[in-house]
Amino acid sequence: MSQDFRLPDLGEGLPEAELVQWLVAPGDTVSLNQTIAEVETAKAVVELPSPYAGTVGALHAAPGDVFAVGDVVITIDTGEDAPAEAAPAHAEAAEPAEAEKAVPNLVGYGAAPRAGGRPQRRARGARAASGPDTAVLEAAPHDAMPRREAPEPVMERPRSTPPVRKLAKDLGVDLALVEASGVTGIITRADVEAYAARMTAPQAIPAIASEPDVVTSVGARPRETRTPIRGVRRATADAMVRSAFTAPQASTFLAVDVTATTELVASLAADRSLEGHRVGIMAIAAKAVCLALGATPSVNSRWDEQAGEIVEFGYVNLGIAAATERGLVVPTIRDAEQLTLVGLADAIRDLAATARAGRTTPASMLGGTFTITNVGVFGVDGGTPIVNPGEAAILALGAVRRQPWEHRGEIALRDVMTLSLSFDHRLVDGEQAARFLRDVAGVLREPGRAMLLR
């Protein structure tokens, strides 16, 4: 018996996911919970396990295609017997066959959707057993359109998902004019965006392109390249716009002599008892942040608009911004204030490795209370980072530069770093921001000062 596996909710109500790659092919034998594909949500790349054991019958998309929650991902032949007698095609309503089984509920994906949970649009006339299930596609979980009782026109509605139909409406695109690019025949978000881009392109371009003297590229590079805005890039953009236009943000800066910290890093690197652990300046800064947040809790808080409250956290879920090939991700170290310096260093190392490998999960990026971003690795001294939504502040660490600096009444070459703090001015006043930044700088200037903060 063939079983269709539909894309489940991968967490946080994300409505869709893009197929990165298949890890199986038609004819392969798969076991229960074997990873069959990698998909990219708006937050991370996620491994998709099989809910069935059996033989792969069909793959319903190609890499780059976008699934909506509820779309058929893969068909697997479980080897089980089909019902003895199928319900007649003309039946208005039929009781579920006893042989019909519920879709397995994958751990961490929430409850599987029930086929009878809401009305579905029946196909007109008989349909081949191997054909796509248009009835389910038309009744995807996020389809909020009311059921129509009047007779429907003969022409089928273009096959797409509710989020894609909404996108087409927002862009003024008639789906009947859009051609599906994937193997499923389903119109995707990328198809709609590509069609809209063609329709809005300047009309003078074809005439200019026909002129033989016009240079259309520079060397081997095209004059312009278009990339669909989706996945991590879309999520980052949405979060930054939401933060910038909902929270009044201010920034403050402080240059600090971190020579003592760089010397500490060198001495720890030479300590054989710490072999296998890399305690760098990022880890020491993370420890300084945890200590400083304890002294100035307003910087570790959240503005709850709905409840009309300011929530101060008694713990630190420390976000570490990481640049990856797919865009910026911010995985979180839970209860970072409870970790030792070595524990923080190991956690930062593991988060960075996971992010670079594209394995950061959506769950690992939730619940942050404060974020650190290290712009110094790009040779930058400072900046004005945008606060992550739901947090009160973000700290940027600049590059460590050897430069002349006043030290003990004389000019000497010292290691200097600029700290840049952006904060939500609804939650943090200038005085509190300055005190927090001075505390962090104090630990980096004199690591022994960590003993004075709680």
Side-chain angles (χ1 to χ4, degrees), residues 257 402-407 410-416:
D257 179 352
R402 191 75 168 168
Q403 64 185 57
W405 196 261
E406 189 276 330
H407 178 63
E410 297 181 354
I411 300 298
L413 285 177
R414 307 289 290 178
D415 293 335
V416 178

Side-chain angles (χ1 to χ4, degrees), residues 284-297:
I284 297 175
K287 190 64 176 179
V289 163
C290 291
L291 294 170
L293 288 175
T296 312

Side-chain angles (χ1 to χ4, degrees), residues 1 119 166 189 246 292 350 367 422:
M1 181 179 179
K166 181 180 184 300
R189 178 183 292 273
T246 58
D350 293 343
S422 293

Side-chain angles (χ1 to χ4, degrees), residues 99-151:
E100 185 177 68
K101 294 186 176 182
V103 177
N105 181 13
L106 299 181
V107 176
Y109 285 163
R114 297 182 57 185
R118 57 179 289 132
Q120 296 179 0
R121 185 186 297 253
R122 287 189 296 112
R124 301 168 186 80
R127 164 170 87 230
S130 61
D133 190 350
T134 55
V136 176
L137 288 171
E138 292 298 325
H142 297 281
D143 192 348
M145 296 184 65
R147 184 179 180 179
R148 298 190 299 177
E149 301 297 339

